[in-house]
Amino acid sequence: MKARVEVHIQLKPGMLDPQGETLEHALTAIGYEGVRSMRVGKWITFEIEGDESDAVESQVEEMCDRLLANPIIERYEYHVMREES
Amino acid sequence: MKARVEVHIQLKPGMLDPQGETLEHALTAIGYEGVRSMRVGKWITFEIEGDESDAVESQVEEMCDRLLANPIIERYEYHVMREES
């Protein structure tokens, strides 16, 4: 099967997000008030070919744990959208 | 009103994505075959307070154009989810 995968990665709640804070301050500085709790995460998309749906799901989870995310400080969510058999 | 905003930013199709390519190669190197077309984008979430829904939408669009994304090389999508009046 071929599938399209989307992964969302964000720092865990409670972890400081300096990039988000910097952007928030920059927005305030150019006149956009009222922005709070900005977090900057990653949005990774790709295609994957695999034998069967369950195998692809567990492969994607492993890929997130081992390389795409840092599970100590980040949380992630993924969606596998099957495209064809 | 208070709203929760999600912004997805990705390089435009046709723009080289070196970060995606690097991750793809790294995945292959540690044994994950069959990954293609990896793109690494940004996922930005924040809260915003504003007068009314339309104003917030156009403010978010401006923020994307002026600071969060680079509209020359990136495309973005945003969703504004109203939380309370």
PDB file of all heavy atoms in Angstrom, chain A residues 13-44:
ATOM      1  N   PRO A  13       3.981  20.568  26.790  1.00  0.00           N
ATOM      2  CA  PRO A  13       3.525  21.696  27.604  1.00  0.00           C
ATOM      3  C   PRO A  13       4.466  21.848  28.792  1.00  0.00           C
ATOM      4  O   PRO A  13       4.905  20.852  29.372  1.00  0.00           O
ATOM      5  CB  PRO A  13       2.138  21.251  28.097  1.00  0.00           C
ATOM      6  CG  PRO A  13       1.720  20.141  27.194  1.00  0.00           C
ATOM      7  CD  PRO A  13       2.977  19.488  26.701  1.00  0.00           C
ATOM      8  N   GLY A  14       4.798  23.074  29.124  1.00  0.00           N
ATOM      9  CA  GLY A  14       5.716  23.303  30.235  1.00  0.00           C
ATOM     10  C   GLY A  14       7.152  23.524  29.773  1.00  0.00           C
ATOM     11  O   GLY A  14       7.943  24.133  30.479  1.00  0.00           O
ATOM     12  N   MET A  15       7.500  23.006  28.581  1.00  0.00           N
ATOM     13  CA  MET A  15       8.842  23.271  28.050  1.00  0.00           C
ATOM     14  C   MET A  15       8.831  24.678  27.453  1.00  0.00           C
ATOM     15  O   MET A  15       7.929  25.034  26.711  1.00  0.00           O
ATOM     16  CB  MET A  15       9.206  22.298  26.917  1.00  0.00           C
ATOM     17  CG  MET A  15       9.179  20.833  27.266  1.00  0.00           C
ATOM     18  SD  MET A  15      10.462  20.336  28.429  1.00  0.00           S
ATOM     19  CE  MET A  15      11.949  20.898  27.592  1.00  0.00           C
ATOM     20  N   LEU A  16       9.868  25.452  27.749  1.00  0.00           N
ATOM     21  CA  LEU A  16       9.987  26.789  27.162  1.00  0.00           C
ATOM     22  C   LEU A  16      10.134  26.695  25.647  1.00  0.00           C
ATOM     23  O   LEU A  16      10.865  25.851  25.150  1.00  0.00           O
ATOM     24  CB  LEU A  16      11.221  27.494  27.710  1.00  0.00           C
ATOM     25  CG  LEU A  16      11.038  28.275  29.013  1.00  0.00           C
ATOM     26  CD1 LEU A  16      12.345  28.976  29.348  1.00  0.00           C
ATOM     27  CD2 LEU A  16       9.909  29.286  28.876  1.00  0.00           C
ATOM     28  N   ASP A  17       9.452  27.586  24.937  1.00  0.00           N
ATOM     29  CA  ASP A  17       9.549  27.608  23.477  1.00  0.00           C
ATOM     30  C   ASP A  17      10.089  28.977  23.053  1.00  0.00           C
ATOM     31  O   ASP A  17       9.334  29.909  22.786  1.00  0.00           O
ATOM     32  CB  ASP A  17       8.153  27.363  22.890  1.00  0.00           C
ATOM     33  CG  ASP A  17       8.181  27.260  21.377  1.00  0.00           C
ATOM     34  OD1 ASP A  17       9.114  27.803  20.755  1.00  0.00           O
ATOM     35  OD2 ASP A  17       7.270  26.646  20.802  1.00  0.00           O
ATOM     36  N   PRO A  18      11.421  29.106  23.005  1.00  0.00           N
ATOM     37  CA  PRO A  18      12.017  30.426  22.727  1.00  0.00           C
ATOM     38  C   PRO A  18      11.625  30.976  21.355  1.00  0.00           C
ATOM     39  O   PRO A  18      11.454  32.187  21.204  1.00  0.00           O
ATOM     40  CB  PRO A  18      13.526  30.166  22.783  1.00  0.00           C
ATOM     41  CG  PRO A  18      13.706  28.764  23.242  1.00  0.00           C
ATOM     42  CD  PRO A  18      12.414  28.042  23.154  1.00  0.00           C
ATOM     43  N   GLN A  19      11.463  30.095  20.377  1.00  0.00           N
ATOM     44  CA  GLN A  19      11.104  30.566  19.034  1.00  0.00           C
ATOM     45  C   GLN A  19       9.698  31.187  19.056  1.00  0.00           C
ATOM     46  O   GLN A  19       9.463  32.249  18.471  1.00  0.00           O
ATOM     47  CB  GLN A  19      11.147  29.375  18.058  1.00  0.00           C
ATOM     48  CG  GLN A  19      11.430  29.784  16.617  1.00  0.00           C
ATOM     49  CD  GLN A  19      11.370  28.604  15.652  1.00  0.00           C
ATOM     50  OE1 GLN A  19      11.439  27.433  16.061  1.00  0.00           O
ATOM     51  NE2 GLN A  19      11.232  28.897  14.376  1.00  0.00           N
ATOM     52  N   GLY A  20       8.796  30.535  19.761  1.00  0.00           N
ATOM     53  CA  GLY A  20       7.438  31.062  19.895  1.00  0.00           C
ATOM     54  C   GLY A  20       7.423  32.389  20.633  1.00  0.00           C
ATOM     55  O   GLY A  20       6.746  33.336  20.222  1.00  0.00           O
ATOM     56  N   GLU A  21       8.214  32.477  21.699  1.00  0.00           N
ATOM     57  CA  GLU A  21       8.266  33.732  22.466  1.00  0.00           C
ATOM     58  C   GLU A  21       8.821  34.866  21.628  1.00  0.00           C
ATOM     59  O   GLU A  21       8.340  36.002  21.685  1.00  0.00           O
ATOM     60  CB  GLU A  21       9.176  33.552  23.694  1.00  0.00           C
ATOM     61  CG  GLU A  21       8.426  33.021  24.896  1.00  0.00           C
ATOM     62  CD  GLU A  21       9.339  32.898  26.112  1.00  0.00           C
ATOM     63  OE1 GLU A  21      10.174  33.802  26.349  1.00  0.00           O
ATOM     64  OE2 GLU A  21       9.219  31.881  26.806  1.00  0.00           O
ATOM     65  N   THR A  22       9.871  34.548  20.861  1.00  0.00           N
ATOM     66  CA  THR A  22      10.489  35.578  20.019  1.00  0.00           C
ATOM     67  C   THR A  22       9.504  36.099  18.984  1.00  0.00           C
ATOM     68  O   THR A  22       9.370  37.314  18.775  1.00  0.00           O
ATOM     69  CB  THR A  22      11.732  34.993  19.313  1.00  0.00           C
ATOM     70  OG1 THR A  22      12.600  34.455  20.311  1.00  0.00           O
ATOM     71  CG2 THR A  22      12.458  36.050  18.516  1.00  0.00           C
ATOM     72  N   LEU A  23       8.792  35.178  18.334  1.00  0.00           N
ATOM     73  CA  LEU A  23       7.811  35.598  17.333  1.00  0.00           C
ATOM     74  C   LEU A  23       6.699  36.426  17.981  1.00  0.00           C
ATOM     75  O   LEU A  23       6.235  37.409  17.408  1.00  0.00           O
ATOM     76  CB  LEU A  23       7.210  34.374  16.636  1.00  0.00           C
ATOM     77  CG  LEU A  23       8.061  33.736  15.538  1.00  0.00           C
ATOM     78  CD1 LEU A  23       7.374  32.494  14.999  1.00  0.00           C
ATOM     79  CD2 LEU A  23       8.290  34.732  14.398  1.00  0.00           C
ATOM     80  N   GLU A  24       6.285  36.022  19.184  1.00  0.00           N
ATOM     81  CA  GLU A  24       5.220  36.742  19.885  1.00  0.00           C
ATOM     82  C   GLU A  24       5.661  38.190  20.157  1.00  0.00           C
ATOM     83  O   GLU A  24       4.905  39.130  19.925  1.00  0.00           O
ATOM     84  CB  GLU A  24       4.947  35.999  21.200  1.00  0.00           C
ATOM     85  CG  GLU A  24       3.544  36.170  21.738  1.00  0.00           C
ATOM     86  CD  GLU A  24       3.342  35.342  23.006  1.00  0.00           C
ATOM     87  OE1 GLU A  24       3.362  34.088  22.913  1.00  0.00           O
ATOM     88  OE2 GLU A  24       3.169  35.942  24.069  1.00  0.00           O
ATOM     89  N   HIS A  25       6.902  38.341  20.637  1.00  0.00           N
ATOM     90  CA  HIS A  25       7.420  39.689  20.892  1.00  0.00           C
ATOM     91  C   HIS A  25       7.547  40.485  19.599  1.00  0.00           C
ATOM     92  O   HIS A  25       7.232  41.672  19.557  1.00  0.00           O
ATOM     93  CB  HIS A  25       8.774  39.612  21.603  1.00  0.00           C
ATOM     94  CG  HIS A  25       8.678  39.052  22.987  1.00  0.00           C
ATOM     95  ND1 HIS A  25       9.714  38.426  23.626  1.00  0.00           N
ATOM     96  CD2 HIS A  25       7.628  38.999  23.862  1.00  0.00           C
ATOM     97  CE1 HIS A  25       9.322  38.019  24.823  1.00  0.00           C
ATOM     98  NE2 HIS A  25       8.061  38.349  24.982  1.00  0.00           N
ATOM     99  N   ALA A  26       7.997  39.823  18.555  1.00  0.00           N
ATOM    100  CA  ALA A  26       8.157  40.512  17.271  1.00  0.00           C
ATOM    101  C   ALA A  26       6.798  40.982  16.746  1.00  0.00           C
ATOM    102  O   ALA A  26       6.676  42.089  16.203  1.00  0.00           O
ATOM    103  CB  ALA A  26       8.832  39.590  16.262  1.00  0.00           C
ATOM    104  N   LEU A  27       5.778  40.155  16.927  1.00  0.00           N
ATOM    105  CA  LEU A  27       4.435  40.550  16.481  1.00  0.00           C
ATOM    106  C   LEU A  27       3.939  41.754  17.268  1.00  0.00           C
ATOM    107  O   LEU A  27       3.378  42.697  16.692  1.00  0.00           O
ATOM    108  CB  LEU A  27       3.458  39.378  16.639  1.00  0.00           C
ATOM    109  CG  LEU A  27       3.587  38.281  15.581  1.00  0.00           C
ATOM    110  CD1 LEU A  27       2.822  37.033  15.984  1.00  0.00           C
ATOM    111  CD2 LEU A  27       3.095  38.772  14.222  1.00  0.00           C
ATOM    112  N   THR A  28       4.164  41.714  18.593  1.00  0.00           N
ATOM    113  CA  THR A  28       3.759  42.859  19.423  1.00  0.00           C
ATOM    114  C   THR A  28       4.487  44.113  18.960  1.00  0.00           C
ATOM    115  O   THR A  28       3.895  45.189  18.846  1.00  0.00           O
ATOM    116  CB  THR A  28       4.069  42.581  20.913  1.00  0.00           C
ATOM    117  OG1 THR A  28       3.522  41.310  21.252  1.00  0.00           O
ATOM    118  CG2 THR A  28       3.453  43.646  21.806  1.00  0.00           C
ATOM    119  N   ALA A  29       5.781  43.952  18.653  1.00  0.00           N
ATOM    120  CA  ALA A  29       6.595  45.098  18.251  1.00  0.00           C
ATOM    121  C   ALA A  29       6.106  45.746  16.959  1.00  0.00           C
ATOM    122  O   ALA A  29       6.265  46.958  16.766  1.00  0.00           O
ATOM    123  CB  ALA A  29       8.060  44.673  18.100  1.00  0.00           C
ATOM    124  N   ILE A  30       5.507  44.968  16.060  1.00  0.00           N
ATOM    125  CA  ILE A  30       5.019  45.588  14.814  1.00  0.00           C
ATOM    126  C   ILE A  30       3.509  45.855  14.879  1.00  0.00           C
ATOM    127  O   ILE A  30       2.873  46.101  13.858  1.00  0.00           O
ATOM    128  CB  ILE A  30       5.393  44.765  13.550  1.00  0.00           C
ATOM    129  CG1 ILE A  30       4.797  43.346  13.584  1.00  0.00           C
ATOM    130  CG2 ILE A  30       6.903  44.708  13.366  1.00  0.00           C
ATOM    131  CD1 ILE A  30       4.975  42.572  12.269  1.00  0.00           C
ATOM    132  N   GLY A  31       2.959  45.792  16.093  1.00  0.00           N
ATOM    133  CA  GLY A  31       1.593  46.297  16.263  1.00  0.00           C
ATOM    134  C   GLY A  31       0.482  45.272  16.434  1.00  0.00           C
ATOM    135  O   GLY A  31      -0.681  45.635  16.521  1.00  0.00           O
ATOM    136  N   TYR A  32       0.832  43.982  16.471  1.00  0.00           N
ATOM    137  CA  TYR A  32      -0.216  42.976  16.672  1.00  0.00           C
ATOM    138  C   TYR A  32      -0.291  42.614  18.151  1.00  0.00           C
ATOM    139  O   TYR A  32       0.554  41.897  18.666  1.00  0.00           O
ATOM    140  CB  TYR A  32       0.048  41.733  15.816  1.00  0.00           C
ATOM    141  CG  TYR A  32       0.072  42.053  14.353  1.00  0.00           C
ATOM    142  CD1 TYR A  32       1.268  42.257  13.684  1.00  0.00           C
ATOM    143  CD2 TYR A  32      -1.115  42.200  13.643  1.00  0.00           C
ATOM    144  CE1 TYR A  32       1.296  42.595  12.342  1.00  0.00           C
ATOM    145  CE2 TYR A  32      -1.108  42.542  12.301  1.00  0.00           C
ATOM    146  CZ  TYR A  32       0.099  42.731  11.662  1.00  0.00           C
ATOM    147  OH  TYR A  32       0.112  43.079  10.335  1.00  0.00           O
ATOM    148  N   GLU A  33      -1.312  43.147  18.801  1.00  0.00           N
ATOM    149  CA  GLU A  33      -1.482  42.910  20.237  1.00  0.00           C
ATOM    150  C   GLU A  33      -2.361  41.675  20.429  1.00  0.00           C
ATOM    151  O   GLU A  33      -3.030  41.221  19.519  1.00  0.00           O
ATOM    152  CB  GLU A  33      -2.205  44.100  20.879  1.00  0.00           C
ATOM    153  CG  GLU A  33      -1.599  45.460  20.576  1.00  0.00           C
ATOM    154  CD  GLU A  33      -0.391  45.752  21.452  1.00  0.00           C
ATOM    155  OE1 GLU A  33      -0.200  45.038  22.444  1.00  0.00           O
ATOM    156  OE2 GLU A  33       0.363  46.690  21.124  1.00  0.00           O
ATOM    157  N   GLY A  34      -2.344  41.169  21.639  1.00  0.00           N
ATOM    158  CA  GLY A  34      -3.330  40.142  21.994  1.00  0.00           C
ATOM    159  C   GLY A  34      -2.944  38.727  21.581  1.00  0.00           C
ATOM    160  O   GLY A  34      -3.767  37.825  21.644  1.00  0.00           O
ATOM    161  N   VAL A  35      -1.697  38.533  21.146  1.00  0.00           N
ATOM    162  CA  VAL A  35      -1.250  37.178  20.807  1.00  0.00           C
ATOM    163  C   VAL A  35      -0.602  36.546  22.041  1.00  0.00           C
ATOM    164  O   VAL A  35       0.239  37.160  22.687  1.00  0.00           O
ATOM    165  CB  VAL A  35      -0.243  37.201  19.629  1.00  0.00           C
ATOM    166  CG1 VAL A  35       0.302  35.811  19.353  1.00  0.00           C
ATOM    167  CG2 VAL A  35      -0.907  37.763  18.384  1.00  0.00           C
ATOM    168  N   ARG A  36      -1.028  35.342  22.376  1.00  0.00           N
ATOM    169  CA  ARG A  36      -0.529  34.669  23.582  1.00  0.00           C
ATOM    170  C   ARG A  36      -0.196  33.200  23.283  1.00  0.00           C
ATOM    171  O   ARG A  36      -0.760  32.631  22.349  1.00  0.00           O
ATOM    172  CB  ARG A  36      -1.620  34.647  24.670  1.00  0.00           C
ATOM    173  CG  ARG A  36      -2.109  35.990  25.143  1.00  0.00           C
ATOM    174  CD  ARG A  36      -1.167  36.620  26.161  1.00  0.00           C
ATOM    175  NE  ARG A  36      -1.618  37.979  26.489  1.00  0.00           N
ATOM    176  CZ  ARG A  36      -1.332  39.072  25.765  1.00  0.00           C
ATOM    177  NH1 ARG A  36      -0.591  38.989  24.679  1.00  0.00           N
ATOM    178  NH2 ARG A  36      -1.779  40.265  26.125  1.00  0.00           N
ATOM    179  N   SER A  37       0.650  32.637  24.121  1.00  0.00           N
ATOM    180  CA  SER A  37       0.917  31.184  24.101  1.00  0.00           C
ATOM    181  C   SER A  37       1.336  30.672  22.731  1.00  0.00           C
ATOM    182  O   SER A  37       0.875  29.616  22.292  1.00  0.00           O
ATOM    183  CB  SER A  37      -0.311  30.379  24.547  1.00  0.00           C
ATOM    184  OG  SER A  37      -0.856  30.900  25.717  1.00  0.00           O
ATOM    185  N   MET A  38       2.206  31.425  22.058  1.00  0.00           N
ATOM    186  CA  MET A  38       2.630  30.964  20.739  1.00  0.00           C
ATOM    187  C   MET A  38       3.632  29.820  20.879  1.00  0.00           C
ATOM    188  O   MET A  38       4.596  29.904  21.636  1.00  0.00           O
ATOM    189  CB  MET A  38       3.241  32.117  19.951  1.00  0.00           C
ATOM    190  CG  MET A  38       3.599  31.706  18.538  1.00  0.00           C
ATOM    191  SD  MET A  38       3.978  33.104  17.458  1.00  0.00           S
ATOM    192  CE  MET A  38       2.371  33.604  16.910  1.00  0.00           C
ATOM    193  N   ARG A  39       3.381  28.758  20.139  1.00  0.00           N
ATOM    194  CA  ARG A  39       4.280  27.603  20.118  1.00  0.00           C
ATOM    195  C   ARG A  39       4.618  27.315  18.663  1.00  0.00           C
ATOM    196  O   ARG A  39       3.730  27.274  17.812  1.00  0.00           O
ATOM    197  CB  ARG A  39       3.610  26.348  20.706  1.00  0.00           C
ATOM    198  CG  ARG A  39       2.886  26.536  22.009  1.00  0.00           C
ATOM    199  CD  ARG A  39       3.795  26.645  23.190  1.00  0.00           C
ATOM    200  NE  ARG A  39       4.350  25.372  23.636  1.00  0.00           N
ATOM    201  CZ  ARG A  39       5.244  25.282  24.619  1.00  0.00           C
ATOM    202  NH1 ARG A  39       5.666  26.375  25.239  1.00  0.00           N
ATOM    203  NH2 ARG A  39       5.717  24.115  24.995  1.00  0.00           N
ATOM    204  N   VAL A  40       5.889  27.098  18.400  1.00  0.00           N
ATOM    205  CA  VAL A  40       6.314  26.797  17.031  1.00  0.00           C
ATOM    206  C   VAL A  40       6.755  25.339  16.957  1.00  0.00           C
ATOM    207  O   VAL A  40       7.746  24.948  17.585  1.00  0.00           O
ATOM    208  CB  VAL A  40       7.461  27.726  16.587  1.00  0.00           C
ATOM    209  CG1 VAL A  40       7.886  27.393  15.168  1.00  0.00           C
ATOM    210  CG2 VAL A  40       7.015  29.181  16.677  1.00  0.00           C
ATOM    211  N   GLY A  41       6.011  24.556  16.248  1.00  0.00           N
ATOM    212  CA  GLY A  41       6.339  23.143  16.103  1.00  0.00           C
ATOM    213  C   GLY A  41       6.653  22.800  14.668  1.00  0.00           C
ATOM    214  O   GLY A  41       6.775  23.673  13.806  1.00  0.00           O
ATOM    215  N   LYS A  42       6.792  21.500  14.414  1.00  0.00           N
ATOM    216  CA  LYS A  42       7.106  21.045  13.063  1.00  0.00           C
ATOM    217  C   LYS A  42       5.905  20.333  12.464  1.00  0.00           C
ATOM    218  O   LYS A  42       5.135  19.675  13.171  1.00  0.00           O
ATOM    219  CB  LYS A  42       8.282  20.083  13.088  1.00  0.00           C
ATOM    220  CG  LYS A  42       9.615  20.788  13.059  1.00  0.00           C
ATOM    221  CD  LYS A  42      10.742  19.784  12.976  1.00  0.00           C
ATOM    222  CE  LYS A  42      11.654  19.940  14.171  1.00  0.00           C
ATOM    223  NZ  LYS A  42      12.635  18.877  14.298  1.00  0.00           N
ATOM    224  N   TRP A  43       5.786  20.491  11.165  1.00  0.00           N
ATOM    225  CA  TRP A  43       4.733  19.805  10.416  1.00  0.00           C
ATOM    226  C   TRP A  43       5.436  19.056   9.281  1.00  0.00           C
ATOM    227  O   TRP A  43       5.936  19.670   8.346  1.00  0.00           O
ATOM    228  CB  TRP A  43       3.750  20.838   9.873  1.00  0.00           C
ATOM    229  CG  TRP A  43       2.710  20.301   8.965  1.00  0.00           C
ATOM    230  CD1 TRP A  43       1.949  19.185   9.157  1.00  0.00           C
ATOM    231  CD2 TRP A  43       2.281  20.872   7.714  1.00  0.00           C
ATOM    232  NE1 TRP A  43       1.072  19.034   8.103  1.00  0.00           N
ATOM    233  CE2 TRP A  43       1.258  20.054   7.209  1.00  0.00           C
ATOM    234  CE3 TRP A  43       2.648  21.995   6.988  1.00  0.00           C
ATOM    235  CZ2 TRP A  43       0.611  20.312   6.008  1.00  0.00           C
ATOM    236  CZ3 TRP A  43       2.005  22.255   5.791  1.00  0.00           C
ATOM    237  CH2 TRP A  43       0.995  21.431   5.317  1.00  0.00           C
ATOM    238  N   ILE A  44       5.503  17.755   9.428  1.00  0.00           N
ATOM    239  CA  ILE A  44       6.246  16.940   8.463  1.00  0.00           C
ATOM    240  C   ILE A  44       5.256  16.117   7.643  1.00  0.00           C
ATOM    241  O   ILE A  44       4.367  15.469   8.201  1.00  0.00           O
ATOM    242  CB  ILE A  44       7.224  16.006   9.194  1.00  0.00           C
ATOM    243  CG1 ILE A  44       8.211  16.838  10.039  1.00  0.00           C
ATOM    244  CG2 ILE A  44       7.990  15.120   8.218  1.00  0.00           C
ATOM    245  CD1 ILE A  44       9.195  16.001  10.836  1.00  0.00           C
TER     246      ILE A  44
END
